Amino acid sequence: MKLINTFATELPWACEPVAPQPLHEPSLLHLNHSLLNELGLGDVSETDWLACCGLGQPLPGMQPVAQVYAGHQFGGYSPRLGDGRALLLGELRAPDGQGWDLHLKGAGKTPFSRFGDGRAVLRSSIREYLASEALHALGIPTTRALVLVGSKEPVYREQEETGATVLRTAPSHLRFGHIEYFAWSGQGEKIPLLIDYLLRHHFPELDSGAELFAEVVRRTARLIAKWQAAGFCHGVMNTDNMSLLGLTLDYGPYGFIDAYVPDFVCNHSDPGGRYALDQQPAVGYWNLQKLAQALADHVDGDALAAALAQYEQQLMLHYSELMRAKLGLSVWEEEDPALFRELFQLLASQRVDYHLFLRRLGELTQQGEWPASLLALLPDPAHWQQWLALYRARLVREGSEDAARKRQMDAINPKYVLRNALAQQAIDAAEVGDMTPFERLFAALQHPYDEQPEYEDLATPVPQWYCGGELSCSS
């Protein structure tokens, strides 16, 4: 393992050294072996991972630090947030030369804990572990999960739970909030140093802060387009949860939609729906505006405005590409927006399962009966006859070939989705010591587009006992 620790050594004024605190009676619950091998960490023993992530004993060469940052939370500015319950243990150079953060969530109190205990609970740790790997398998940029550790340590949230840690990784955990902190705390002279660090370590193909901001805009637009197409609601799109590298960061009360609900809210701390599914594109733009304001004294204003002006076009272009692919359409037609709009109206009015509908739509052929599996999803199939006829005519006009189109649609419409009901089943079992449901769900989500008959029970519609639902920020 080749450690580099550039953040701790080059940006010491942006972090505080902190030793991780051991958990009471920790136990190793899961290792992501394929990712560990990819990063050159396959030889680290289970004993060493337990010591590192549960006993407060970092691996040799690690330099644990808590990063300082600020952020706009639900529209209001919080001037000093930082890693309140997480530590950047160290950075490594993978065999392919890529640098990776090793970031431990739930490691105990830091100078930024804000009267909190600095802990994570098993429930939230399982949710982050599963979600980050699920999004990665769907092709959505995200942090990744390496190690999951549980314990018998009591931690108090809405009720008493047990403490846990997740070791996660990403090329960087730098956020919009890092720039904001130094912009609004009277330390603006540090911002050029942050820009230089980003350019050298993460954007070597770029030459300036203006180019950097334009790339952040592009990556953010494409990320949110992918969220929208996947029916994924982040839940807490505060600027401190927005990655400068365009990654999905900080999984809390996220949720994949079940039935198509465009204004789905997954966070019970968001009664006004600020971070509802259909608000995510606008919030992304708002957050980028705040980042531009923080950069305004260091990057040309016209360049910032020009980059922001590209956001909507880039998001809509990528979203349109994704949705055409999800519908099995190869070319663009002027009628496409109307076709999409009517589809979403039907899905919403009849609360049809978004993922199953798109997956089973691939079974439709250009002639013959409508697929029985598709019709079974529709509460009132008669309302769908006109749209299905228009869609079928669109396929004929395009010269679509049924078998090839189904293969294409199966490769972009997942059969296996991390529904909250499935995550909750894994959590309930894990909390009584049974990791089998977690292991099965984790395995199925690694290959979300494949049939996997052994996991067929994980691909069925959401159980009646749980549908959607809002979660707390402690999730």
Side-chain angles (χ1 to χ4, degrees), residues 165-337:
T165 61
V166 172
L167 182 63
R168 61 186 184 180
T169 188
S172 174
H173 286 77
L174 279 165
R175 312 147 186 267
F176 290 16
H178 281 92
I179 305 292
E180 289 186 291
Y181 175 76
F182 291 102
W184 310 128
S185 64
Q187 302 178 72
E189 73 279 1
K190 299 293 200 319
I191 292 178
L193 302 178
L194 276 173
I195 292 173
D196 176 69
Y197 177 89
L198 283 160
L199 291 172
R200 285 187 293 107
H201 290 291
H202 303 294
F203 300 93
E205 71 280 7
L206 305 180
D207 294 322
S208 67
E211 291 184 6
L212 171 64
F213 180 71
E215 180 63 12
V216 174
V217 169
R218 187 190 73 84
R219 291 191 184 195
T220 302
R222 291 179 66 86
L223 174 67
I224 296 176
K226 292 179 188 296
W227 287 356
Q228 299 304 114
F232 175 79
C233 188
H234 182 279
V236 194
M237 287 179 63
N238 299 330
T239 58
D240 55 292
N241 293 336
M242 297 294 291
S243 162
L244 288 166
L245 273 64
L247 309 173
T248 310
L249 177 67
D250 280 359
Y251 292 89
Y254 67 82
F256 284 91
I257 55 174
D258 296 312
Y260 182 71
V261 179
D263 58 351
F264 172 62
V265 176
C266 57
N267 183 355
H268 75 45
S269 301
D270 186 17
R274 176 182 178 85
Y275 298 142
L277 178 68
D278 60 359
Q279 296 302 307
Q280 292 184 144
V283 172
Y285 182 77
W286 192 91
N287 288 343
L288 286 164
Q289 286 181 309
K290 298 307 172 187
L291 177 59
Q293 291 170 7
L295 290 168
D297 290 340
H298 309 280
V299 178
D300 177 73
D302 290 340
L304 293 171
L308 278 172
Q310 294 297 311
Y311 171 81
E312 183 178 3
Q313 179 185 7
Q314 292 180 17
L315 187 150
M316 291 307 300
L317 178 62
H318 191 48
Y319 179 72
S320 296
E321 291 172 347
L322 290 170
M323 290 310 302
R324 280 200 304 276
K326 289 177 83 67
L327 291 175
L329 304 177
S330 300
V331 297
W332 181 84
E333 289 189 3
E334 290 186 5
E335 294 80 8
D336 284 352

